Every structure is written in C-alpha cells, then in structure tokens.
Amino acid sequence: MACPHKLASVHQGSIENEVDEAVFRKVTGRFATGVAVVTTLAGGVDHAMTVNSFASVSLDPLLVLVCVEKIARFHDAVLDAGVWGVSILGRDGEEASRAFAKRGRTLEGQLDLWSHRRGRLGLALFDAAIATLECRTTAVHDGGDHSVIIGGVVSADTPRDLPPLIYYEGRYRHLRALDD
C-alpha cells in the first residue's frame, strides 16, 4: 500500500514580508533555547562561534543542524572544513557564550582561556560543556542570511551533569531545578 502522505513541494518564489522585524524578534525571543559553542578547524586555525540555532534533526541517520550567518567569519571556515564540534553549555557557561559571540575577536589563541580537549575529529570541545558532539557536514541549505548546515554525528558525550544555560527574551537564564 502506498503511503498516503506526500512531501509538500517547496515554494521557490519570494516571500512577502508583512511582519515588522521588531515584532519578529520579540516573537522568536519567546522560544527558549539552549546555548552552544560550535567549533571547527580550518587551515590549522581554530574557529569558534556561539549559537542558539542548533537542533536535532534525525535519529536514523543521526543528524543535527546549526544555522550560521553568511557574513560571519565562521561561515566559510566551517564550510571549508566540513567538520564541526558542538559544546552545549551549562548554567556556568555564560562567560564563554559571551566571549564567542563577539564579532571580530582575534582568532589566534582564542581558545587559550577555555579548558578544552580535542575530539575524535581533532576539534576543540569545551571541558565545561554538559554535552558535546562532533559532526561531518552532510548538506548545506540556503536559509536567507544564514546557511542551515546539517551534520552527521560522529561522536557524542555528556561529560557533566548540570542544568543548561538558557537564552530567552534576549537574556541568559538558568533553570532553577531539573525535574526528576
């Protein structure tokens, strides 16, 4: 029996923007997200960037995604490298998040202040992370001013048991307690 569900075709035309950007930011800011630092190694140089646009995509195969702004220095580095690491930050990770969210910072030695290890793919993974992944890029999709980068998961770990750092309404937040 054929599956009754079919994938909808993607509309390739332009989308009329009738939503005010400030309203859009307020609406999307109401979606609480975790915070991660994504790393890559391109041309022997470590690159890192704070993200909150990270998500699980598939269990079979294991896939995740990250969205990277096209004008960010990290964008071309991660596309060239084809591999990337994710360090999901715990409630004590706000300082690291702020550091790697700054545009134009010096690349040389940027990881020196942050304890990290090299993963299976040679990528920097933060010791203070509550979870880490290493990925190989499997697809890149246009997402307006961002690229949606899909990665196949090569390694995964949960090195620390701590509540996550949360970003909500333009501010860092902390969970008071994890439910049992």
Side-chain angles (χ1 to χ4, degrees):
M1 175 184 229
C3 178
H5 304 286
K6 294 186 179 191
L7 294 176
S9 63
V10 178
H11 176 60
Q12 298 296 325
S14 64
I15 299 170
E16 289 189 37
N17 184 358
E18 298 177 10
V19 178
D20 179 73
E21 185 177 327
V23 172
F24 178 76
R25 285 179 173 269
K26 185 173 183 175
V27 168
T28 58
R30 295 264 172 105
F31 184 69
T33 65
V35 181
V37 175
V38 179
T39 56
T40 196
L41 187 61
V45 177
D46 284 304
H47 294 259
M49 182 181 81
T50 299
V51 301
N52 65 357
S53 55
F54 164 79
S56 168
V57 174
S58 169
L59 290 174
D60 185 17
L62 296 177
L63 297 173
V64 296
L65 69 78
V66 65
C67 297
V68 179
E69 190 176 19
K70 291 176 182 175
I71 64 169
R73 179 172 52 189
F74 187 85
H75 182 270
D76 291 343
V78 73
L79 292 185
D80 290 346
V83 294
W84 38 284
V86 179
S87 295
I88 298 172
L89 301 178
R91 68 175 173 219
D92 59 352
E94 185 175 335
E95 188 177 353
S97 175
R98 288 184 187 280
F100 293 101
K102 290 181 183 162
R103 291 188 184 272
R105 70 186 174 283
T106 303
L107 288 177
E108 188 66 34
Q110 70 174 325
L111 297 180
D112 291 351
L113 297 175
W114 310 99
S115 178
H116 62 279
R117 65 178 173 81
R118 295 286 171 182
R120 189 169 138 194
L121 298 176
L123 303 168
L125 300 171
F126 287 63
D127 292 337
I130 61 172
T132 60
L133 298 164
E134 286 184 290
C135 306
R136 288 190 195 283
T137 300
T138 60
V140 179
H141 301 280
D142 182 61
D145 59 1
H146 283 62
S147 289
V148 180
I149 303 170
I150 309 289
V153 177
V154 174
S155 72
D157 191 17
T158 55
R160 296 187 333 145
D161 191 19
L162 195 70
L165 181 61
I166 303 292
Y167 198 73
Y168 178 73
E169 291 189 328
R171 295 180 31 217
Y172 291 99
R173 309 287 180 123
H174 307 276
L175 292 178
R176 293 192 180 153
L178 291 174
D179 293 335
D180 292 322

